[in-house]
Amino acid sequence: DKFKPPSTFTLYNELHYDNEVAGFTIKNDKTAIICWRGTQSLNDIYTDLEYSTEKPFFSSGEGVLIHSGFNNAFKSALDEVKSFISSLGTQTTLYITGHSLGGALATLNLYWLMNNNFPKSISKVSCYSFASPKIGNKKFKDDFESKLKPLNFSNYRFQNLSDVIPLTPPSGEYLHVNTPIYINYDSGTLVDNHFITSYKIALYKCPLPLPPSLCKPSPMSSITSEISSTYDKVKVSPKKIKKILNAQY
């Protein structure tokens, strides 16, 4: 079924990559939202696993390298993103958001805007990502953060300390951008800790800034760190993981 926006918004278009719906865009007279969905299908898992680095397909800072899977996924949907942005009226506030894989694509979406002379019709841009994996190298992190400051842009990255996905890709080449807003909600399983529902529960409990009680380490926090460390040592190739997945699906 197609996404039905709130009554005060109109659905403009869907975003696609690999012939799958990757997100949607909605707007009203003064507010626009680009929302990227998280990992759901086998193709999405393949996208996550393509963690070799490459130059962004769009113009960016010197030496910048990013996750090839995220790069290709965003490239596939770019024409739809451009169509939406060109449709916006004057003095529009733009929000970009996403969870998991969608969090990475939301961040890349923001980075693309920084590097491509965003329309003057957009008065303010804010990005909210949840459970995003790491996206690029130190050059990417430095370029992203240096360009964010002079613009009327904001980037808020939410990370559950009991969620293992923000610790990936395990390669030390990858770094996160900006200081995270930590929460620590432990649902009892690593899988559930990654779900957007767990992030919602933690954030609905209280307004920001989050109290220290939600940021204290839990037993699951140490497990996520241990898994990341082990994953880095094993270094299972994406090709091998794909073979395992193909045998199971």
Side-chain angles (χ1 to χ4, degrees):
D1 294 337
K2 282 196 172 185
F3 167 77
K4 294 180 181 179
S7 59
T8 55
F9 284 85
T10 300
L11 177 67
Y12 180 80
N13 66 0
E14 292 179 338
L15 308 172
H16 297 85
Y17 62 80
D18 291 335
N19 298 315
E20 294 183 357
V21 176
F24 57 84
T25 63
I26 60 176
K27 64 177 182 174
N28 58 28
D29 290 342
K30 294 299 179 183
T31 304
I33 300 173
I34 300 174
C35 183
W36 298 91
R37 71 159 172 79
T39 302
Q40 287 186 338
S41 68
L42 193 56
N43 279 338
D44 294 340
I45 295 172
Y46 285 171
T47 297
D48 295 342
L49 290 173
E50 291 173 15
Y51 55 76
S52 58
T53 53
E54 62 186 22
K55 292 180 180 179
F57 68 88
F58 51 87
S59 61
S60 59
E62 186 177 350
V64 168
L65 295 173
I66 61 174
H67 185 291
S68 59
F70 303 156
N71 193 35
N72 292 329
F74 182 64
K75 182 178 181 180
S76 297
L78 183 58
D79 286 344
E80 292 160 331
V81 172
K82 285 181 176 178
S83 174
F84 176 63
I85 289 175
S86 66
S87 75
L88 301 181
T90 57
Q91 294 299 302
T92 298
T93 298
L94 174 63
Y95 295 95
I96 309 171
T97 188
H99 167 258
S100 191
L101 165 61
L105 294 178
T107 306
L108 268 187
N109 194 158
L110 182 66
Y111 186 57
W112 172 77
L113 277 172
M114 293 178 193
N115 286 281
N116 286 273
N117 299 318
F118 69 98
K120 289 184 171 55
S121 60
I122 300 175
S123 60
K124 184 179 179 181
V125 181
S126 295
C127 179
Y128 294 81
S129 66
F130 303 85
S132 173
K134 293 174 278 189
I135 300 167
N137 65 355
K138 188 176 186 302
K139 293 281 188 181
F140 167 71
K141 171 183 168 64
D142 293 345
D143 193 52
F144 182 99
E145 293 176 358
S146 66
K147 288 175 177 174
L148 186 69
K149 290 178 182 178
L151 298 169
N152 194 19
F153 286 10
S154 301
N155 185 51
Y156 305 98
R157 182 171 64 82
F158 292 83
Q159 179 176 338
N160 184 0
L161 290 170
S162 297
D163 181 1
V164 72
I165 298 303
L167 304 177
T168 64
S171 168
E173 182 180 11
Y174 284 90
L175 297 172
H176 274 300
V177 296
N178 297 113
T179 302
I181 300 171
Y182 284 118
I183 61 173
N184 195 26
Y185 180 78
D186 184 358
S187 66
T189 72
L190 287 174
V191 172
D192 288 347
N193 289 344
H194 177 61
F195 286 164
I196 190 64
T197 307
S198 293
Y199 283 77
K200 286 181 180 178
I201 290 171
L203 293 171
Y204 285 166
K205 281 185 175 180
C206 56
L208 294 175
L210 295 173
S213 60
L214 277 178
C215 299
K216 289 180 180 178
S218 72
M220 199 65 77
S221 302
S222 62
I223 292 173
T224 56
S225 297
E226 185 177 342
I227 287 174
S228 179
S229 175
T230 304
Y231 188 15
D232 198 21
K233 291 173 185 174
V234 174
K235 294 186 170 50
V236 178
S237 72
K239 285 186 179 179
K240 186 172 182 179
I241 297 174
K242 285 182 182 181
K243 285 183 180 179
I244 295 170
L245 289 169
N246 281 329
Q248 293 180 350
Y249 285 84

